[in-house]
Amino acid sequence: VKYNTQANLDHFLKIVVGTVGERQVGKLLGPDYKRWHKKWGEPKQPGGKPRPWRAKHCMTAWRWATSYGVTIGFADCLRADTILGKLRFRQPPPRTAKLELEHVNAIRAIAHAMGLGSIALATTIQFELDLRQKDVIGEWEPAPQIEGGIAYRGRRWVNGILWTDIDANQILRKTHTKTKIPLEYDLKEYPAILEEFAKSPPERRVGPLVVYERTGRPYKADVFGRTWRAIANAAGVPPEVQNRDARAGGISEGRDAGVPIADNMKLSGHLNQQTHERIYNRSSLPQTRRVARLRHAWRDENKT
């Protein structure tokens, strides 16, 4: 698995080991797993907020460990895997927050006023093209043996957009990091993106598209997150709306506008329609209104 997935698994496996590591796998039953899941999701402090995502990720990490035990022939893991396969756990509620066009425009204005046009550019591309953060700004992955590329302190920058990914006809070609789907975007159809490009001097249009002004290098994820949040706060974006909600905001806007699901999925690089609609389409009122109007129009046309 990718390094960041491994880091997440390590984190939650430590919680599993620290809380239930003394249990013998061959003696575990369904009620044990149900109890674990409930305990992992309890508030950190009495009276605090429940932690359903902690419970979900701990159980996912345990499922991975159990599945691995099956592959190397541990009979107790085979038994545990069979029991886990029969269990269903309450899932955390899906996110409902989304970045709106008005948020994007406010962030763009504040970012430029603060001399951080990189934030304006990244946010605009995320929203307009329904791209994940890492597909725009890239990510720094561990690279013990660095040969070429953009490197810094034992890490190599990968997966972000380069200026050379955009041809003379303003066609951006990008392969989604997660799904490996290659897509093409005609940026001439996205005036907001071209407006941001126009603010980048020609001499800076080399290498990574999004570069942190204060270092001259691509952003680290945590630095981008802190910088984006500070600008979003100044722009009046509600605290529950996060940068990752730019993708959901773009997808929702597309569905509100009546974009066919197949086209919306193609733009966002989704393979699974259920994921696309349940997790990322966070708007419903314009869509339910459109259904109502179409149904009433049909009734009017078919009155006898």
Side-chain angles (χ1 to χ4, degrees):
V1 296
K2 287 189 63 179
Y3 77 94
N4 52 346
T5 303
Q6 184 64 62
N8 284 333
L9 283 172
D10 286 346
H11 172 73
F12 290 106
L13 282 172
K14 286 179 181 177
I15 297 175
V16 173
V17 172
T19 53
V20 297
E22 296 300 315
R23 293 301 306 273
Q24 186 172 339
V25 177
K27 293 183 178 180
L28 294 171
L29 298 172
D32 295 309
Y33 298 124
K34 288 287 188 179
R35 186 177 64 257
W36 292 5
H37 186 267
K38 180 180 178 181
K39 293 292 289 184
W40 285 330
E42 289 180 349
K44 187 174 184 179
Q45 302 292 341
K49 291 183 178 180
R51 296 181 287 175
W53 284 102
R54 181 177 187 265
K56 172 181 168 59
H57 291 318
C58 284
M59 189 55 68
T60 297
W62 174 241
R63 287 183 187 272
W64 276 59
T66 304
S67 296
Y68 175 70
V70 172
T71 67
I72 55 176
F74 288 170
D76 286 348
C77 286
L78 178 60
R79 176 180 180 275
D81 188 64
T82 301
I83 294 173
L84 285 167
K86 302 294 184 183
L87 297 175
R88 296 294 179 268
F89 300 96
R90 184 185 296 276
Q91 296 297 303
R95 287 184 60 77
T96 57
K98 57 180 177 174
L99 199 69
E100 306 276 6
L101 178 60
E102 62 186 71
H103 298 149
V104 176
N105 290 335
I107 287 171
R108 290 172 64 188
I110 295 295
H112 283 295
M114 296 176 64
L116 291 167
S118 57
I119 297 292
L121 176 58
T123 305
T124 303
I125 294 176
Q126 285 179 262
F127 181 78
E128 295 287 350
L129 304 185
D130 300 351
L131 286 172
R132 296 176 179 85
Q133 182 189 109
K134 70 175 65 176
D135 281 319
V136 178
I137 71 169
E139 55 187 335
W140 292 91
E141 66 176 15
Q145 296 181 337
I146 297 174
E147 295 179 4
I150 300 173
Y152 182 70
R153 293 186 175 179
R155 290 179 176 265
R156 179 187 292 110
W157 181 80
V158 295
N159 297 329
I161 300 175
L162 296 164
W163 283 103
T164 51
D165 293 331
I166 305 168
D167 68 18
N169 294 316
Q170 299 290 2
I171 304 298
L172 166 65
R173 292 175 174 84
K174 171 67 180 173
T175 297
H176 279 237
T177 303
K178 186 173 182 179
T179 60
K180 306 304 180 185
I181 296 176
L183 289 176
E184 296 177 317
Y185 307 88
D186 186 350
L187 299 183
K188 295 188 294 296
E189 301 291 338
Y190 299 92
I193 295 178
L194 296 184
E195 287 173 8
E196 291 299 328
F197 283 179
K199 296 173 182 177
S200 294
E203 63 271 15
R204 292 185 58 185
R205 299 183 187 183
V206 294
L209 193 71
V210 179
V211 175
Y212 187 26
E213 287 83 353
R214 295 173 186 173
T215 64
R217 294 185 295 273
Y219 279 93
K220 292 174 59 180
D222 58 339
V223 174
F224 182 86
R226 290 194 301 270
T227 307
W228 188 91
R229 186 69 258 171
I231 292 173
N233 289 343
V237 178
E240 65 271 16
V241 178
Q242 302 173 12
N243 176 262
R244 59 174 171 163
D245 297 322
R247 178 170 163 83
I251 290 172
S252 299
E253 184 186 59
R255 296 296 291 125
D256 288 349
V259 176
I261 292 178
D263 291 346
N264 224 28
M265 288 179 62
K266 175 62 74 173
L267 176 67
S268 59
H270 273 140
L271 295 171
N272 185 291
Q273 183 175 333
Q274 182 180 14
T275 298
H276 179 82
E277 286 294 288
R278 183 177 68 86
I279 298 178
Y280 287 97
N281 179 13
R282 298 179 186 173
S283 184
S284 61
L285 189 57
Q287 295 160 43
T288 55
R289 280 175 176 161
R290 188 162 55 246
V291 171
R293 290 165 184 165
L294 289 171
R295 289 175 63 178
H296 285 298
W298 182 88
R299 292 172 189 173
D300 291 340
E301 291 175 4
N302 289 275
K303 284 181 179 178
T304 57

